[in-house]
Amino acid sequence: MLPESEAAKCLLAVLGLLWVARWVVYLACDVLGGLRKFVWARVWEEDLPATYGKWAVVTGCTDGIGKEYARELASRDMHVLLIARNIHKLTDLQRVIKEESPGVMTEVVLVDFSDGTGVYDKIAPFLHDKDVGILVNNVGVNIKPPRPFKDVSEEDLWPLIHVNVASVVGMTRLVLDGMLAKGKGAIINIGSAASGNPLPRAGVYAATKAFVDFFSQSLAWECRGTGVTIQTVRPGFVSTKMINSYTKAFTKPRLLVPSSSTFVASALPTLGHSDHTSGYWIHGCQKEAFYQNQQRTQHSSDKTVHASIAWNPEEATPLCAMTQLMSQSTHWIMFLFGPTSSGIYPPLT
Ligand SMILES: NC(=O)c1ccc[n+]([C@@H]2O[C@H](COP(=O)([O-])OP(=O)(O)OC[C@H]3O[C@@H](n4cnc5c(N)ncnc54)[C@H](OP(=O)(O)O)[C@@H]3O)[C@@H](O)[C@H]2O)c1
């Protein structure tokens, strides 16, 4: 029964107003935070060599997001140590950077991170004489096509863990002491929005990215007050070789699936402004949308099916189209008519 006295009505009205006020304050904080990260940071660009140090180191730099970090850092007057596994692509990138940023020095290190822990001894001598300002732990791979863990071969499994997990820890070990001694520097760890959910059929990939996220956040906490910045970047879909090898749906960059250059032009300026970011404002909105949706589905009996679609882009395309609406109603549409009830997504095997 509803209370009828004036006092009770007043109390309910006050509670309602407080709830709305809380919501408005949170929204305003989110919007201001977003403006600071993605607008102000681009207007007020930092002098990267002066703030962090002269050299940048980028792993997995011959394609996609890593390549754009290397080019963008060079365009901001940083010398770049380029690390990847294909010498032709490495020397080609050196040439591109020389043309685009003539005053900048580059060096290449040819390593395959899937070879295991020996690669760090090979990289270390290249770092000795350098004022390393920024490390971008970018290198990452996934298993193609997505499949249940029982079908993942040994040959696919251990390289994935060496590349996605060990490289982040190994490279951080190589540069962190030097940065701490100087009292400046930055490490950018490229995680993934995929780490936000359990991801059946790409469970190991998502878990490696959850490792990156948690390791990076812990390190950020430990480095507080030292002058060293640790940033976690968790992109959503970016149109790169990695994604395009799964599906043709994302070959053409668009608002929700930017090109790697659009993504990095947005992500790099957030360094120093945010320790934990999607790197790209639309992906930030997507994260909120999926997060809220996930919270609801946590109460459903088949909660992981929601997550499983996310790493099967061919089949998830209808979902992606829906998320373009990016509105609250989308969450409800997905919740009411989404994979758990519509059957358009295959069951887990
Ligand atoms: N694209 C996305 O939608 C997306 C979303 C979230 C997170 N991410 C993350 O972003 C990072 C970059 O992904 P991307 O999409 O730019 O990938 P990509 O286009 O496939 O580029 C990966 C880069 O890493 C290099 N690489 C791969 N395996 C290597 C190994 N074993 N040793 C040395 N270098 C190796 C590749 O060299 P080659 O040129 O020789 O192949 C290439 O330069 C990854 O950590 C990924 O998990 C990507």
Short mmCIF file of all heavy atoms in Angstrom, two decimals, residues 15-66:
data_model
loop_
_atom_site.label_atom_id
_atom_site.label_comp_id
_atom_site.label_asym_id
_atom_site.label_seq_id
_atom_site.Cartn_x
_atom_site.Cartn_y
_atom_site.Cartn_z
N LEU A 15 13.59 11.78 -1.80
CA LEU A 15 14.41 10.63 -2.20
C LEU A 15 14.55 10.58 -3.72
O LEU A 15 15.63 10.34 -4.26
CB LEU A 15 13.79 9.33 -1.70
CG LEU A 15 13.96 9.06 -0.20
CD1 LEU A 15 13.18 7.80 0.19
CD2 LEU A 15 15.42 8.90 0.16
N GLY A 16 13.44 10.84 -4.40
CA GLY A 16 13.46 10.84 -5.87
C GLY A 16 14.40 11.91 -6.41
O GLY A 16 15.21 11.66 -7.30
N LEU A 17 14.32 13.11 -5.81
CA LEU A 17 15.19 14.19 -6.26
C LEU A 17 16.66 13.86 -6.01
O LEU A 17 17.52 14.12 -6.84
CB LEU A 17 14.84 15.49 -5.52
CG LEU A 17 13.64 16.24 -6.09
CD1 LEU A 17 13.27 17.42 -5.19
CD2 LEU A 17 13.95 16.75 -7.50
N LEU A 18 16.91 13.27 -4.84
CA LEU A 18 18.30 12.90 -4.52
C LEU A 18 18.83 11.88 -5.53
O LEU A 18 19.96 11.96 -5.99
CB LEU A 18 18.40 12.30 -3.10
CG LEU A 18 18.33 13.31 -1.96
CD1 LEU A 18 18.30 12.60 -0.63
CD2 LEU A 18 19.53 14.26 -2.03
N TRP A 19 17.96 10.94 -5.91
CA TRP A 19 18.38 9.90 -6.87
C TRP A 19 18.71 10.54 -8.21
O TRP A 19 19.74 10.25 -8.83
CB TRP A 19 17.27 8.86 -7.02
CG TRP A 19 17.73 7.67 -7.80
CD1 TRP A 19 18.33 6.55 -7.32
CD2 TRP A 19 17.65 7.51 -9.23
NE1 TRP A 19 18.63 5.70 -8.35
CE2 TRP A 19 18.23 6.26 -9.53
CE3 TRP A 19 17.15 8.30 -10.27
CZ2 TRP A 19 18.31 5.78 -10.83
CZ3 TRP A 19 17.25 7.82 -11.57
CH2 TRP A 19 17.82 6.57 -11.83
N VAL A 20 17.82 11.47 -8.63
CA VAL A 20 18.05 12.14 -9.92
C VAL A 20 19.32 12.98 -9.84
O VAL A 20 20.16 12.98 -10.76
CB VAL A 20 16.83 13.02 -10.31
CG1 VAL A 20 17.15 13.88 -11.52
CG2 VAL A 20 15.63 12.14 -10.61
N ALA A 21 19.50 13.68 -8.70
CA ALA A 21 20.69 14.54 -8.55
C ALA A 21 21.96 13.69 -8.62
O ALA A 21 22.94 14.05 -9.28
CB ALA A 21 20.63 15.28 -7.22
N ARG A 22 21.92 12.53 -7.96
CA ARG A 22 23.09 11.63 -7.98
C ARG A 22 23.41 11.21 -9.41
O ARG A 22 24.56 11.23 -9.85
CB ARG A 22 22.76 10.42 -7.11
CG ARG A 22 23.82 9.34 -7.06
CD ARG A 22 23.32 8.22 -6.14
NE ARG A 22 24.14 7.05 -6.22
CZ ARG A 22 23.99 6.07 -7.10
NH1 ARG A 22 23.01 6.14 -8.00
NH2 ARG A 22 24.77 5.03 -7.11
N TRP A 23 22.36 10.86 -10.14
CA TRP A 23 22.52 10.42 -11.52
C TRP A 23 23.12 11.55 -12.37
O TRP A 23 24.03 11.35 -13.17
CB TRP A 23 21.16 9.98 -12.05
CG TRP A 23 21.20 9.40 -13.41
CD1 TRP A 23 21.57 8.13 -13.75
CD2 TRP A 23 20.88 10.07 -14.64
NE1 TRP A 23 21.50 7.97 -15.10
CE2 TRP A 23 21.08 9.15 -15.68
CE3 TRP A 23 20.46 11.36 -14.95
CZ2 TRP A 23 20.86 9.47 -17.00
CZ3 TRP A 23 20.24 11.68 -16.28
CH2 TRP A 23 20.44 10.74 -17.29
N VAL A 24 22.59 12.79 -12.15
CA VAL A 24 23.08 13.93 -12.93
C VAL A 24 24.55 14.21 -12.61
O VAL A 24 25.37 14.46 -13.51
CB VAL A 24 22.21 15.19 -12.66
CG1 VAL A 24 22.85 16.45 -13.24
CG2 VAL A 24 20.82 15.00 -13.25
N VAL A 25 24.90 14.11 -11.31
CA VAL A 25 26.30 14.36 -10.93
C VAL A 25 27.22 13.32 -11.57
O VAL A 25 28.26 13.65 -12.15
CB VAL A 25 26.46 14.35 -9.39
CG1 VAL A 25 27.93 14.34 -8.99
CG2 VAL A 25 25.77 15.58 -8.79
N TYR A 26 26.82 12.05 -11.52
CA TYR A 26 27.64 11.00 -12.14
C TYR A 26 27.80 11.25 -13.64
O TYR A 26 28.89 11.14 -14.20
CB TYR A 26 27.02 9.61 -11.92
CG TYR A 26 27.31 9.01 -10.57
CD1 TYR A 26 26.50 8.02 -10.04
CD2 TYR A 26 28.39 9.43 -9.80
CE1 TYR A 26 26.74 7.46 -8.80
CE2 TYR A 26 28.64 8.89 -8.55
CZ TYR A 26 27.82 7.91 -8.05
OH TYR A 26 28.08 7.36 -6.84
N LEU A 27 26.68 11.60 -14.27
CA LEU A 27 26.72 11.83 -15.72
C LEU A 27 27.65 13.01 -16.04
O LEU A 27 28.48 12.93 -16.95
CB LEU A 27 25.31 12.11 -16.23
CG LEU A 27 25.15 12.18 -17.75
CD1 LEU A 27 25.42 10.81 -18.37
CD2 LEU A 27 23.75 12.65 -18.13
N ALA A 28 27.50 14.09 -15.23
CA ALA A 28 28.33 15.28 -15.46
C ALA A 28 29.81 14.92 -15.28
O ALA A 28 30.67 15.35 -16.06
CB ALA A 28 27.93 16.39 -14.50
N CYS A 29 30.11 14.12 -14.25
CA CYS A 29 31.51 13.72 -14.01
C CYS A 29 32.03 12.92 -15.20
O CYS A 29 33.17 13.12 -15.66
CB CYS A 29 31.64 12.87 -12.74
SG CYS A 29 31.43 13.83 -11.27
N ASP A 30 31.19 12.00 -15.70
CA ASP A 30 31.60 11.18 -16.86
C ASP A 30 31.88 12.06 -18.06
O ASP A 30 32.88 11.91 -18.76
CB ASP A 30 30.50 10.17 -17.23
CG ASP A 30 30.56 8.96 -16.32
OD1 ASP A 30 31.51 8.85 -15.53
OD2 ASP A 30 29.64 8.11 -16.41
N VAL A 31 30.96 13.01 -18.32
CA VAL A 31 31.11 13.87 -19.50
C VAL A 31 32.36 14.74 -19.35
O VAL A 31 33.18 14.85 -20.28
CB VAL A 31 29.85 14.74 -19.70
CG1 VAL A 31 30.09 15.79 -20.76
CG2 VAL A 31 28.67 13.85 -20.08
N LEU A 32 32.55 15.33 -18.15
CA LEU A 32 33.73 16.18 -17.95
C LEU A 32 35.02 15.36 -18.06
O LEU A 32 36.00 15.79 -18.66
CB LEU A 32 33.67 16.85 -16.56
CG LEU A 32 32.66 17.99 -16.46
CD1 LEU A 32 32.58 18.51 -15.03
CD2 LEU A 32 33.05 19.13 -17.41
N GLY A 33 34.97 14.15 -17.47
CA GLY A 33 36.14 13.25 -17.57
C GLY A 33 36.46 12.95 -19.02
O GLY A 33 37.61 12.97 -19.45
N GLY A 34 35.41 12.66 -19.80
CA GLY A 34 35.59 12.36 -21.22
C GLY A 34 36.17 13.56 -21.97
O GLY A 34 37.07 13.42 -22.79
N LEU A 35 35.66 14.77 -21.65
CA LEU A 35 36.17 15.97 -22.32
C LEU A 35 37.63 16.19 -21.98
O LEU A 35 38.45 16.52 -22.84
CB LEU A 35 35.35 17.20 -21.89
CG LEU A 35 33.94 17.29 -22.47
CD1 LEU A 35 33.18 18.46 -21.86
CD2 LEU A 35 34.00 17.45 -23.99
N ARG A 36 37.97 15.95 -20.70
CA ARG A 36 39.36 16.14 -20.28
C ARG A 36 40.28 15.17 -21.03
O ARG A 36 41.31 15.54 -21.56
CB ARG A 36 39.48 15.93 -18.76
CG ARG A 36 40.85 16.24 -18.20
CD ARG A 36 40.83 16.17 -16.69
NE ARG A 36 40.42 14.87 -16.19
CZ ARG A 36 41.21 13.81 -16.10
NH1 ARG A 36 42.46 13.89 -16.49
NH2 ARG A 36 40.76 12.66 -15.64
N LYS A 37 39.83 13.90 -21.10
CA LYS A 37 40.65 12.86 -21.72
C LYS A 37 40.78 13.04 -23.22
O LYS A 37 41.84 12.92 -23.78
CB LYS A 37 39.98 11.50 -21.50
CG LYS A 37 40.51 10.72 -20.33
CD LYS A 37 39.97 9.31 -20.41
CE LYS A 37 39.29 8.89 -19.15
NZ LYS A 37 38.67 7.57 -19.24
N PHE A 38 39.64 13.28 -23.86
CA PHE A 38 39.65 13.18 -25.32
C PHE A 38 39.65 14.52 -26.05
O PHE A 38 39.94 14.56 -27.23
CB PHE A 38 38.46 12.33 -25.79
CG PHE A 38 38.55 10.90 -25.30
CD1 PHE A 38 37.58 10.37 -24.49
CD2 PHE A 38 39.64 10.11 -25.64
CE1 PHE A 38 37.67 9.06 -24.03
CE2 PHE A 38 39.74 8.81 -25.19
CZ PHE A 38 38.76 8.28 -24.38
N VAL A 39 39.30 15.60 -25.36
CA VAL A 39 39.32 16.91 -26.04
C VAL A 39 40.47 17.76 -25.51
O VAL A 39 41.38 18.13 -26.24
CB VAL A 39 37.97 17.64 -25.86
CG1 VAL A 39 38.00 18.97 -26.58
CG2 VAL A 39 36.81 16.78 -26.38
N TRP A 40 40.45 18.01 -24.20
CA TRP A 40 41.48 18.86 -23.61
C TRP A 40 42.87 18.28 -23.87
O TRP A 40 43.81 19.00 -24.21
CB TRP A 40 41.22 18.98 -22.10
CG TRP A 40 42.24 19.81 -21.37
CD1 TRP A 40 43.10 19.39 -20.40
CD2 TRP A 40 42.52 21.20 -21.57
NE1 TRP A 40 43.90 20.41 -19.98
CE2 TRP A 40 43.57 21.55 -20.68
CE3 TRP A 40 42.02 22.18 -22.42
CZ2 TRP A 40 44.09 22.82 -20.61
CZ3 TRP A 40 42.55 23.46 -22.35
CH2 TRP A 40 43.57 23.77 -21.44
N ALA A 41 43.01 16.96 -23.74
CA ALA A 41 44.31 16.33 -23.93
C ALA A 41 44.85 16.56 -25.34
O ALA A 41 46.06 16.63 -25.54
CB ALA A 41 44.20 14.83 -23.66
N ARG A 42 43.97 16.71 -26.31
CA ARG A 42 44.44 16.92 -27.69
C ARG A 42 44.77 18.38 -27.93
O ARG A 42 45.58 18.71 -28.78
CB ARG A 42 43.39 16.43 -28.69
CG ARG A 42 43.32 14.92 -28.70
CD ARG A 42 42.33 14.39 -29.68
NE ARG A 42 42.88 14.26 -31.01
CZ ARG A 42 42.36 13.49 -31.94
NH1 ARG A 42 41.29 12.77 -31.68
NH2 ARG A 42 42.90 13.40 -33.13
N VAL A 43 44.08 19.25 -27.16
CA VAL A 43 44.37 20.68 -27.31
C VAL A 43 45.70 20.99 -26.63
O VAL A 43 46.55 21.71 -27.16
CB VAL A 43 43.24 21.52 -26.65
CG1 VAL A 43 43.57 23.00 -26.69
CG2 VAL A 43 41.91 21.24 -27.34
N TRP A 44 45.90 20.41 -25.46
CA TRP A 44 47.07 20.71 -24.62
C TRP A 44 48.05 19.54 -24.72
O TRP A 44 48.16 18.73 -23.81
CB TRP A 44 46.59 20.91 -23.18
CG TRP A 44 47.64 21.50 -22.28
CD1 TRP A 44 48.47 20.82 -21.44
CD2 TRP A 44 47.96 22.87 -22.14
NE1 TRP A 44 49.29 21.70 -20.79
CE2 TRP A 44 49.00 22.98 -21.19
CE3 TRP A 44 47.47 24.06 -22.72
CZ2 TRP A 44 49.56 24.19 -20.82
CZ3 TRP A 44 48.03 25.26 -22.32
CH2 TRP A 44 49.05 25.33 -21.39
N GLU A 45 48.73 19.45 -25.84
CA GLU A 45 49.62 18.29 -26.03
C GLU A 45 50.91 18.45 -25.25
O GLU A 45 51.51 19.53 -25.22
CB GLU A 45 49.95 18.15 -27.52
CG GLU A 45 48.80 17.57 -28.31
CD GLU A 45 49.24 17.07 -29.68
OE1 GLU A 45 50.35 17.41 -30.13
OE2 GLU A 45 48.46 16.31 -30.29
N GLU A 46 51.34 17.38 -24.62
CA GLU A 46 52.57 17.43 -23.84
C GLU A 46 53.79 17.34 -24.75
O GLU A 46 53.72 16.75 -25.83
CB GLU A 46 52.62 16.23 -22.88
CG GLU A 46 51.81 16.45 -21.62
CD GLU A 46 51.96 15.26 -20.68
OE1 GLU A 46 51.96 14.12 -21.18
OE2 GLU A 46 52.07 15.49 -19.47
N ASP A 47 54.90 17.91 -24.28
CA ASP A 47 56.18 17.71 -24.95
C ASP A 47 56.69 16.35 -24.47
O ASP A 47 57.24 16.23 -23.37
CB ASP A 47 57.12 18.85 -24.54
CG ASP A 47 58.50 18.70 -25.16
OD1 ASP A 47 58.82 17.60 -25.66
OD2 ASP A 47 59.26 19.69 -25.13
N LEU A 48 56.49 15.32 -25.27
CA LEU A 48 56.77 13.96 -24.80
C LEU A 48 58.24 13.71 -24.44
O LEU A 48 58.53 13.17 -23.37
CB LEU A 48 56.29 12.93 -25.83
CG LEU A 48 54.78 12.90 -26.10
CD1 LEU A 48 54.45 11.82 -27.12
CD2 LEU A 48 54.00 12.67 -24.83
N PRO A 49 59.21 14.10 -25.30
CA PRO A 49 60.61 13.84 -24.91
C PRO A 49 60.98 14.55 -23.60
O PRO A 49 61.69 13.99 -22.78
CB PRO A 49 61.42 14.41 -26.08
CG PRO A 49 60.47 14.45 -27.23
CD PRO A 49 59.12 14.70 -26.65
N ALA A 50 60.49 15.79 -23.42
CA ALA A 50 60.84 16.51 -22.19
C ALA A 50 60.16 15.89 -20.97
O ALA A 50 60.74 15.78 -19.89
CB ALA A 50 60.43 17.98 -22.33
N THR A 51 58.93 15.46 -21.14
CA THR A 51 58.17 14.93 -19.99
C THR A 51 58.64 13.54 -19.60
O THR A 51 58.74 13.23 -18.41
CB THR A 51 56.66 14.87 -20.34
OG1 THR A 51 56.27 16.14 -20.85
CG2 THR A 51 55.82 14.54 -19.11
N TYR A 52 58.93 12.69 -20.61
CA TYR A 52 59.18 11.29 -20.28
C TYR A 52 60.62 10.82 -20.57
O TYR A 52 61.13 9.95 -19.86
CB TYR A 52 58.20 10.40 -21.06
CG TYR A 52 56.75 10.69 -20.72
CD1 TYR A 52 55.92 11.34 -21.63
CD2 TYR A 52 56.24 10.34 -19.48
CE1 TYR A 52 54.60 11.62 -21.30
CE2 TYR A 52 54.91 10.62 -19.15
CZ TYR A 52 54.10 11.26 -20.07
OH TYR A 52 52.80 11.54 -19.75
N GLY A 53 61.21 11.35 -21.61
CA GLY A 53 62.54 10.87 -22.02
C GLY A 53 62.58 10.78 -23.53
O GLY A 53 61.54 10.83 -24.19
N LYS A 54 63.80 10.65 -24.08
CA LYS A 54 63.95 10.86 -25.54
C LYS A 54 63.49 9.68 -26.40
O LYS A 54 63.07 9.85 -27.53
CB LYS A 54 65.41 11.15 -25.85
CG LYS A 54 65.87 12.52 -25.35
CD LYS A 54 67.18 12.92 -26.04
CE LYS A 54 67.66 14.29 -25.60
NZ LYS A 54 68.02 14.36 -24.16
N TRP A 55 63.61 8.47 -25.87
CA TRP A 55 63.33 7.30 -26.72
C TRP A 55 62.00 6.64 -26.36
O TRP A 55 61.66 6.52 -25.18
CB TRP A 55 64.44 6.26 -26.57
CG TRP A 55 65.64 6.56 -27.41
CD1 TRP A 55 66.67 7.39 -27.08
CD2 TRP A 55 65.94 6.04 -28.72
NE1 TRP A 55 67.59 7.43 -28.10
CE2 TRP A 55 67.17 6.61 -29.12
CE3 TRP A 55 65.29 5.17 -29.59
CZ2 TRP A 55 67.76 6.32 -30.35
CZ3 TRP A 55 65.88 4.88 -30.82
CH2 TRP A 55 67.09 5.46 -31.19
N ALA A 56 61.31 6.19 -27.40
CA ALA A 56 60.13 5.34 -27.21
C ALA A 56 60.47 3.94 -27.70
O ALA A 56 61.27 3.78 -28.62
CB ALA A 56 58.95 5.90 -27.99
N VAL A 57 59.88 2.95 -27.06
CA VAL A 57 60.07 1.55 -27.47
C VAL A 57 58.68 0.99 -27.76
O VAL A 57 57.78 1.11 -26.93
CB VAL A 57 60.71 0.75 -26.31
CG1 VAL A 57 60.89 -0.72 -26.71
CG2 VAL A 57 62.04 1.36 -25.89
N VAL A 58 58.50 0.42 -28.95
CA VAL A 58 57.18 -0.11 -29.30
C VAL A 58 57.30 -1.56 -29.72
O VAL A 58 58.05 -1.90 -30.65
CB VAL A 58 56.53 0.71 -30.45
CG1 VAL A 58 55.09 0.24 -30.69
CG2 VAL A 58 56.55 2.20 -30.15
N THR A 59 56.57 -2.44 -29.04
CA THR A 59 56.59 -3.86 -29.42
C THR A 59 55.46 -4.14 -30.42
O THR A 59 54.39 -3.54 -30.33
CB THR A 59 56.42 -4.78 -28.19
OG1 THR A 59 55.11 -4.59 -27.64
CG2 THR A 59 57.46 -4.49 -27.12
N GLY A 60 55.72 -5.04 -31.34
CA GLY A 60 54.69 -5.38 -32.34
C GLY A 60 54.34 -4.15 -33.16
O GLY A 60 53.16 -3.80 -33.31
N CYS A 61 55.40 -3.52 -33.73
CA CYS A 61 55.21 -2.17 -34.31
C CYS A 61 55.06 -2.19 -35.83
O CYS A 61 55.01 -1.13 -36.44
CB CYS A 61 56.41 -1.31 -33.95
SG CYS A 61 57.91 -2.03 -34.62
N THR A 62 55.01 -3.36 -36.46
CA THR A 62 55.03 -3.35 -37.93
C THR A 62 53.64 -3.33 -38.56
O THR A 62 53.51 -3.35 -39.78
CB THR A 62 55.81 -4.56 -38.47
OG1 THR A 62 55.39 -5.72 -37.75
CG2 THR A 62 57.30 -4.36 -38.32
N ASP A 63 52.63 -3.32 -37.73
CA ASP A 63 51.28 -3.30 -38.29
C ASP A 63 50.32 -2.70 -37.26
O ASP A 63 50.66 -2.57 -36.08
CB ASP A 63 50.81 -4.72 -38.66
CG ASP A 63 50.17 -4.75 -40.04
OD1 ASP A 63 49.30 -3.89 -40.27
OD2 ASP A 63 50.55 -5.59 -40.87
N GLY A 64 49.12 -2.35 -37.72
CA GLY A 64 48.01 -2.01 -36.84
C GLY A 64 48.33 -0.92 -35.82
O GLY A 64 48.96 0.09 -36.11
N ILE A 65 47.89 -1.15 -34.61
CA ILE A 65 47.96 -0.15 -33.54
C ILE A 65 49.42 0.18 -33.21
O ILE A 65 49.79 1.35 -33.03
CB ILE A 65 47.20 -0.67 -32.30
CG1 ILE A 65 45.69 -0.77 -32.63
CG2 ILE A 65 47.42 0.23 -31.10
CD1 ILE A 65 44.85 -1.49 -31.58
N GLY A 66 50.28 -0.84 -33.15
CA GLY A 66 51.68 -0.61 -32.81
C GLY A 66 52.38 0.27 -33.83
O GLY A 66 53.16 1.16 -33.49
#
